[in-house]
Amino acid sequence: MNIILSRDSQVRVMEDTVTNAEKSFGQFCSLLAAYTRKTARLRDTADQLVKQLISFANTENPEMRATLRNFAEDLAKVQDYRQAEVERLETKVVNPLKLYGMQIKQTRAEIKKFKSIRNNEIKQLKKLEKLRQKSPSDRQTIAETSMQRASVDASRTSHQLEETVDTFQKQKLKDIQKIFSDFVTIEMVFHAKAVEVYSSAFQTLESYDLEKDLEDFRAKMHRVYGRCDARPALMDTTLSPALPWSLAQSSQSTIQSQRKEAVSEDDSAEEDPVEDLRGQAQRLHQ
């Protein structure tokens, strides 16, 4: 009976080991899958930032345009590395954790099988105790034989279960080590590449010639101001010789009156000789 109690304690330890592994690995899988998805969303957001930078660069002066385009190119390169990071996380971290559930199920099946054999051993032991109290010796012998057979099966299964759980524990520890080593390696590779590209991007931004763009901008503004100033000057030159409207009207009326007087004088000058000729003709007839 002490052996059976010892096996019960052993089974409880095995079950606790598997249960803790199932719970912890499930949480690891959920959290690292969320980590991978957020990294992918960060990549998508950065791609949108690259597009916006290029769109803004097309509206700026040459120096800023070239600087922003180079910066956007570096930022896009970082997102290529981030894409590789996402793919490696899914392959080397998340998927192994997903597959770990199958190993846990297999180990649980082995424990369940052992518990069934152990229950049969307990059943045979109880049966033997009853026969010892009530039955003849021949029946006790049969019961003892059944009991020994059940005990042998339990011992063999217990030994197999110990090996199974020991293998499970060993594999669990190795997998934890490998999975998180791969996780750290993937992150280090990405960040090392990213730092290299970001250093280039920083140098690009630092080498931007602000004064040259300001000179181009000011020159452009002066050209615009020059056109605006030139338009009123042209209007002044065209309008300055002209007289005010009232003065023009009075001068026109004066000219018209002078022209009328000249015409009337011409008409009177033409009428006087005619009258003289008519008077001379009348005197001759008389």
Side-chain angles (χ1 to χ4, degrees):
M1 195 68 181
N2 291 332
I3 296 175
I4 295 176
L5 294 175
S6 175
R7 287 172 183 169
D8 285 341
S9 300
Q10 187 180 38
V11 169
R12 282 196 295 270
V13 172
M14 294 177 181
E15 287 180 328
D16 290 342
T17 300
V18 175
T19 300
N20 291 334
E22 183 179 27
K23 180 180 179 181
S24 298
F25 274 71
Q27 291 177 344
F28 288 148
C29 183
S30 177
L31 292 172
L32 288 169
Y35 181 94
T36 304
R37 288 193 300 270
K38 288 182 179 180
T39 303
R41 286 198 292 269
L42 178 59
R43 172 206 60 204
D44 295 339
T45 304
D47 287 339
Q48 295 177 0
L49 177 59
V50 169
K51 293 179 181 179
Q52 184 60 36
L53 282 169
I54 294 174
S55 176
F56 177 72
N58 292 333
T59 65
E60 287 298 310
N61 292 322
E63 287 294 319
M64 177 59 74
R65 181 163 57 248
T67 298
L68 288 179
R69 284 179 177 176
N70 291 334
F71 174 64
E73 183 179 352
D74 287 337
L75 192 59
K77 190 180 296 183
V78 172
Q79 306 324 305
D80 293 338
Y81 293 136
R82 203 183 299 277
Q83 172 63 23
E85 176 195 12
V86 169
E87 293 175 355
R88 290 168 183 165
L89 286 172
E90 290 177 348
T91 302
K92 294 188 175 183
V93 176
V94 178
N95 288 340
L97 287 171
K98 289 180 179 179
L99 297 175
Y100 216 82
M102 186 61 65
Q103 299 180 22
I104 292 175
K105 288 181 180 179
Q106 292 175 354
T107 305
R108 281 193 179 280
E110 293 292 333
I111 294 175
K112 185 177 180 180
K113 179 181 176 181
F114 173 73
K115 288 173 71 174
S116 177
I117 294 174
R118 182 205 60 185
N119 291 336
N120 182 54
E121 181 185 15
I122 295 173
K123 182 179 179 181
Q124 294 297 330
L125 180 60
K126 289 180 178 180
K127 185 177 180 181
L128 178 60
E129 290 295 331
K130 289 180 180 180
L131 289 174
R132 282 176 179 175
Q133 295 175 2
K134 299 180 181 180
S135 300
S137 60
D138 56 343
R139 297 185 64 180
Q140 290 183 16
T141 303
I142 295 172
E144 287 177 358
T145 303
S146 298
M147 175 60 195
Q148 290 175 358
R149 189 182 301 114
S151 179
V152 170
D153 291 340
S155 297
R156 183 177 61 252
T157 305
S158 176
H159 181 68
Q160 292 175 352
L161 182 61
E162 286 179 9
E163 291 181 351
T164 300
V165 174
D166 184 78
T167 302
F168 172 82
Q169 180 69 5
K170 182 179 179 180
Q171 189 63 41
K172 181 192 76 173
L173 298 176
K174 288 176 64 176
D175 289 342
I176 284 290
Q177 181 186 26
K178 185 176 187 308
I179 287 171
F180 283 100
S181 294
D182 288 341
F183 173 78
V184 173
T185 301
I186 292 168
E187 291 298 301
M188 285 194 302
V189 169
F190 165 72
H191 287 290
K193 296 282 189 180
V195 167
E196 181 181 353
V197 178
Y198 279 136
S199 298
S200 173
F202 180 79
Q203 294 299 324
T204 297
L205 294 172
E206 282 292 302
S207 61
Y208 166 61
D209 192 347
L210 173 65
E211 293 299 326
K212 189 171 182 181
D213 263 354
L214 280 177
E215 289 177 3
D216 293 340
F217 177 76
R218 289 164 181 166
K220 185 187 296 183
M221 294 301 295
H222 288 163
R223 286 195 296 270
V224 173
Y225 289 153
R227 291 174 184 173
C228 293
D229 294 341
R231 289 174 184 174
L234 291 174
M235 292 176 64
D236 290 342
T237 55
T238 55
L239 293 178
S240 58
L243 296 173
W245 185 81
S246 59
L247 183 60
Q249 288 295 106
S250 62
S251 62
Q252 286 180 359
S253 61
T254 304
I255 293 172
Q256 289 178 356
S257 62
Q258 290 177 353
R259 286 178 180 176
K260 288 181 180 179
E261 290 178 358
V263 170
S264 61
E265 289 178 356
D266 290 341
D267 290 342
S268 60
E270 289 178 356
E271 289 176 357
D272 290 342
V274 172
E275 292 296 329
D276 293 341
L277 289 175
R278 286 178 180 174
Q280 290 176 6
Q282 288 178 357
R283 284 194 299 271
L284 289 175
H285 283 297
Q286 292 176 357

